[in-house]
Amino acid sequence: MCGITGYIGYREAYPIIIKGLQRLEYRGYDSAGILLYNDDVFISKTKGKVSDLEDLMNTDSSKQGNIGFGHTRWATHGIPNNINSHPHTSNSGNLVIIHNGIIENYDALKKELIKRNYTFKSDTDTEVLVNLIEEVKKTNDCKLGKAVQIALNEVIGAYAICVFDKTKPNELVVARLGSPIAIGIGKENKEFFVASDASPFIEYTKNAIYLEDEEMAIITANKEVEIRKIKDDSIITPEIQQLKMNLEQIEKGGYDHFMLKEIYEQPHAITDTYRGRLIANQGIIRMAGVDDNMEKFLNADRIIIVACGTSWHAGLVAEYLFEDIARIPVEVEYASEFRYRNPIITEKDVVITISQSGETADTLAAIKLAKSKGAFVFGICNVVGSSIAREAHAGAYTHAGPEIGVASTKAFTTQITLLSLIALKLGKAKGSLSNAAYRNYLQEMELIPKKVERLLKEDENVKYISSIYKDVPNCLYLGRGYNFPVALEGALKLKEISYIHAEGYPAAEMKHGPIALIDENMPVFVIAINKGHYEKVVSNIQEIKSRKGKIIAIVTEGDIQVKKIADHVIEIPETEEAFTPLLTTIPLQLLSYHIAVMLNKNVDQPRNLAKSVTVE
Ligand code: AGP
């Protein structure tokens, strides 16, 4: 997720753009850059934050100009550095672009443009896009707007772009598919603002147009905004909205907290994780980091998964995925234990590390230890160019976008999505999975975002259950098989943001001690989906009921048996057992969120916690 913002009108553009970028930094902070036009194009860009861009600009007087745009980056293609920072310029130097999103077919487009003698300075998909627009503009001898419209019909992926043509410096062209664009309308059309959300322009105007997917706009000062459909270039009558949100609400996308926003972003984040990697109708999973090292994975004696916290829980889910689907032995280790216990590691081991931040000290140290013993290390991170991403031999990014809330939510589900794709890819390569089962998994994975969306509609029910149990001193979470790690994760979520003591257990473990805790004051959250050992979970529930424990069960839609005995149920859509953690975790995230809010806790920055534990 990146932040884009632009201005065209009668004011000096620089201060508006810089302040807009500061407000959009929550969307990404790997690098920042700006274009200003004042009789010529001026571009300044740098790795780092918006403040680094300001420092750079302070050494250069060129801040004049009434038109321009800026970008704060969350890297997806190309590590964070100056060259890969936006804006990007076409080969002629006439066209300049900023982009939020992912162009999936950029490689094929780039190869075609190289054949036509285009050259590239950066590793980004965005530089390919601006040169594609230039090539279309040249071959069709058309205006920028038309060139953008034609070019985008050749593009597969997600984008919010703003494009400038220095040969026609009184207009900006914007377009969106999958990434947001808001257009702020100034008084009497004398000025216009463009941004990923309204936070950069809310103080100047409350009149805004929100582009819909597959729409584009040609913005010219002192003229009505022209909205068109990208598909067929047809004109659309814009709907101008009156903004009601304040600045803080806008940054959180209208949600009260970043954590809730990130819980609701999960359908989009999961889609972004498999975008460009999963081509279900062709039975393809494309992951360069795995493809290039397939022999290492297939010949490994075992896979050792090393992580901390929520990422360690994702690793536990992966143990079930890899052993069940790919039949590869897996061990899961806390990084902090692994690095100090003098583990046996050989060249025949593959170590997979999982980390949202890519900066967790214990996980980073575990990688160095594994590498020193000759193991192949594959890193799964959310932050492009992070220390762990750079230290690993190969890896894959989750593309979840910045996760601001300290409690990990979309990082967990996107990690599991990525690990599922790897397990399926290895299972297919090893022949441990029939082609029919493989294809079925791929089709089902594409349905998961919609099922998460459907499940988020259970929020009111979860909120009601939260209100009943918000004051309990202790909770138990139970799950079996793939959902045992989800029970652990649910307990961690509750602990870390509501400060209520909670423990997760394999459901069958109850009789080995924890059942002594059960009485009418102990709520037990049980994952009782209709897959795996359903009947055994039902008998675990009976054991708890007979000791007056309160049961809140997560069941599969249409469940009858558990509904009769549980105090409350939350229904999840049917899916493959291997994918149930992607769904069962959602109500547990919402439950911990609502309880923490009802207890007036600091949801996004819980006490004693940091988003990234870079110390030991
Ligand atoms: C989970 O909600 C916590 N934020 C914490 O356990 C976190 O998962 C852990 O510190 C690991 O962080 P990482 O994924 O960035 O390595």
Side-chain angles (χ1 to χ4, degrees):
M1 191 159 63
C2 305
I4 67 173
T5 185
Y7 175 78
I8 178 169
Y10 56 90
R11 298 178 219 252
E12 281 304 309
Y14 174 72
I16 295 170
I17 293 169
I18 280 292
K19 194 156 66 168
L21 287 177
Q22 282 155 355
R23 289 184 178 158
L24 293 172
E25 261 191 319
Y26 74 88
R27 301 177 63 86
Y29 34 78
D30 290 328
S31 63
I34 190 168
L35 153 80
L36 291 168
Y37 183 81
N38 186 32
D39 296 333
D40 198 358
V41 163
F42 172 81
I43 289 176
S44 183
K45 57 184 190 176
T46 179
K47 178 178 183 319
K49 293 188 176 299
V50 175
S51 53
D52 298 311
L53 176 64
E54 279 188 285
D55 294 345
L56 192 61
M57 295 286 284
N58 286 338
T59 59
D60 190 323
S61 59
S62 327
K63 293 182 193 163
Q64 278 69 45
N66 309 115
I67 180 169
F69 49 54
H71 182 275
T72 180
R73 185 173 185 234
W74 179 263
T76 55
H77 290 80
I79 60 168
N81 61 20
N82 294 353
I83 289 285
N84 289 334
S85 311
H86 298 215
H88 288 283
T89 309
S90 64
N91 277 198
S92 70
N94 290 337
L95 304 188
V96 188
I97 193 172
I98 50 176
H99 166 220
N100 169 25
I102 299 174
I103 306 298
E104 293 172 32
N105 62 331
Y106 83 99
D107 205 30
L109 294 170
K110 185 170 185 174
K111 289 190 173 87
E112 190 50 41
L113 288 166
I114 289 170
K115 279 188 208 151
R116 299 178 188 209
N117 302 321
Y118 282 83
T119 57
F120 295 89
K121 297 187 280 291
S122 78
D123 308 323
T124 65
D125 51 350
T126 307
E127 194 184 6
V128 172
L129 181 53
V130 72
N131 281 301
L132 174 65
I133 295 166
E134 172 140 290
E135 175 61 12
V136 167
K137 190 167 186 292
K138 240 170 24 189
T139 44
N140 294 275
D141 187 22
C142 59
K143 288 183 184 167
L144 178 61
K146 185 64 184 164
V148 169
Q149 186 260 328
I150 296 170
L152 290 179
N153 277 290
E154 295 180 40
V155 160
I156 301 168
Y159 48 79
I161 58 171
C162 189
V163 195
F164 172 81
D165 175 1
K166 85 171 186 182
T167 63
K168 196 163 181 295
N170 67 339
E171 76 175 21
L172 293 174
V173 174
V174 297
R176 79 155 276 179
L177 174 61
S179 302
I181 283 190
I183 302 170
I185 317 283
K187 219 180 283 154
E188 294 153 19
N189 290 330
K190 291 195 178 325
E191 61 183 357
F192 294 95
F193 306 80
V194 168
S196 301
D197 65 36
S199 55
F201 59 78
I202 187 83
E203 68 203 76
Y204 299 101
T205 178
K206 292 197 180 301
N207 297 327
I209 295 171
Y210 283 84
L211 281 190
E212 298 293 339
D213 271 350
E214 297 184 335
E215 288 184 355
M216 62 180 286
I218 296 156
I219 303 168
T220 315
N222 304 312
K223 218 180 122 193
E224 286 263 314
V225 176
E226 197 182 306
I227 312 274
R228 293 175 171 274
K229 270 212 162 304
I230 294 168
K231 218 178 257 327
D232 58 14
D233 208 16
S234 56
I235 299 263
I236 297 165
T237 311
E239 185 213 334
I240 297 179
Q241 300 184 28
Q242 282 286 330
L243 295 175
K244 302 243 182 330
M245 289 192 281
N246 63 35
L247 184 55
E248 200 203 344
Q249 285 169 323
I250 290 168
E251 285 174 345
K252 290 170 185 153
Y255 294 97
D256 290 342
H257 299 93
F258 279 112
M259 181 181 176
L260 188 60
K261 174 171 175 272
E262 287 149 12
I263 289 172
Y264 273 80
E265 277 177 347
Q266 288 179 111
H268 197 89
I270 291 170
T271 304
D272 280 347
T273 300
Y274 67 61
R275 188 191 297 280
R277 291 171 166 146
L278 171 64
I279 302 109
N281 58 8
Q282 296 172 31
I284 296 171
I285 295 175
R286 189 184 296 139
M287 296 180 75
V290 176
D291 291 325
D292 298 347
N293 300 286
M294 185 57 86
E295 285 318 301
K296 292 191 181 71
F297 280 102
L298 297 179
N299 300 328
D301 284 345
R302 59 184 172 163
I303 290 176
I304 304 171
I305 298 176
V306 183
C308 302
T310 289
S311 298
W312 183 76
H313 296 149
L316 288 176
V317 174
E319 180 173 21
Y320 289 86
L321 287 164
F322 282 108
E323 295 209 352
D324 185 16
I325 292 173
R327 310 305 294 157
I328 300 175
V330 172
E331 288 169 26
V332 184
E333 299 260 4
Y334 278 119
S336 54
E337 286 300 307
F338 182 72
R339 64 180 292 200
Y340 291 119
R341 66 175 186 75
N342 191 20
I344 297 167
I345 308 169
T346 74
E347 293 83 353
K348 292 284 283 174
D349 289 329
V350 166
V351 172
I352 296 179
T353 61
I354 306 170
S355 176
Q356 187 286 130
S357 61
E359 300 299 341
T360 301
D362 284 323
T363 309
L364 193 52
I367 291 177
K368 291 177 177 164
L369 172 67
K371 284 172 72 175
S372 70
K373 305 264 185 185
F376 169 70
V377 178
F378 187 89
I380 290 176
C381 285
N382 189 38
V383 181
V384 174
S386 57
S387 305
I388 287 175
R390 280 180 284 113
E391 191 63 35
H393 291 115
Y397 291 115
T398 44
H399 295 326
E403 187 176 66
I404 310 296
V406 165
S408 248
T409 49
K410 63 178 182 174
F412 181 63
T413 47
T414 53
Q415 286 165 352
I416 294 174
T417 300
L418 205 54
L419 290 157
S420 302
L421 294 180
I422 297 172
L424 288 164
K425 198 170 169 62
L426 298 178
K428 178 88 168 50
K430 284 175 70 85
S432 56
L433 195 61
S434 73
N435 199 37
Y438 172 74
R439 299 295 288 256
N440 178 56
Y441 272 122
L442 270 55
Q443 270 138 31
E444 180 60 20
M445 177 56 84
E446 281 192 325
L447 302 176
I448 291 294
K450 281 271 175 276
K451 291 185 176 180
V452 172
E453 241 161 53
R454 219 165 85 207
L455 183 48
L456 288 166
K457 293 186 171 59
E458 278 283 302
D459 197 5
E460 277 314 306
N461 176 25
V462 177
K463 194 170 178 178
Y464 166 68
I465 294 168
S466 305
S467 66
I468 296 170
Y469 297 101
K470 66 180 172 56
D471 298 313
V472 296
N474 302 288
C475 286
L476 279 180
Y477 288 71
L478 303 179
R480 272 183 187 259
Y482 280 94
N483 285 287
F484 157 48
V486 178
L488 298 178
E489 172 61 12
L492 175 63
K493 286 282 105 37
L494 187 70
K495 274 184 275 200
E496 65 176 326
I497 63 174
S498 71
Y499 317 148
I500 294 172
H501 177 248
E503 286 189 81
Y505 273 101
E509 270 301 295
M510 282 301 290
K511 52 187 169 303
H512 299 283
I515 200 158
L517 294 170
I518 301 300
D519 59 22
E520 62 281 7
N521 303 314
M522 176 64 84
V524 185
F525 297 92
V526 187
I527 302 169
I529 52 161
N530 68 355
K531 295 280 189 309
H533 309 287
Y534 175 74
E535 289 311 325
K536 296 198 184 306
V537 176
V538 172
S539 54
N540 295 144
I541 291 174
Q542 301 283 17
E543 290 158 19
I544 296 163
K545 283 304 284 178
S546 59
R547 291 160 178 85
K548 300 193 184 60
K550 293 281 180 283
I551 296 286
I552 305 94
I554 295 176
V555 300
T556 306
E557 277 168 358
D559 181 288
I560 296 165
Q561 208 176 344
V562 171
K563 261 186 195 162
K564 284 189 194 128
I565 50 177
D567 296 274
H568 311 275
V569 291
I570 299 162
E571 295 191 80
I572 69 159
E574 182 89 46
T575 186
E576 289 292 332
E577 182 183 5
F579 295 163
T580 52
L582 292 167
L583 302 181
T584 53
T585 197
I586 304 294
L588 299 180
Q589 292 171 345
L590 290 169
L591 180 96
S592 59
Y593 170 79
H594 288 306
I595 289 178
V597 169
M598 291 169 189
L599 297 177
N600 293 315
K601 303 301 183 193
N602 184 338
V603 173
D604 284 330
Q605 277 106 23
R607 69 184 181 195
N608 312 337
L609 287 174
K611 184 60 189 166
S612 174
V613 184
T614 55
V615 293
E616 298 181 15

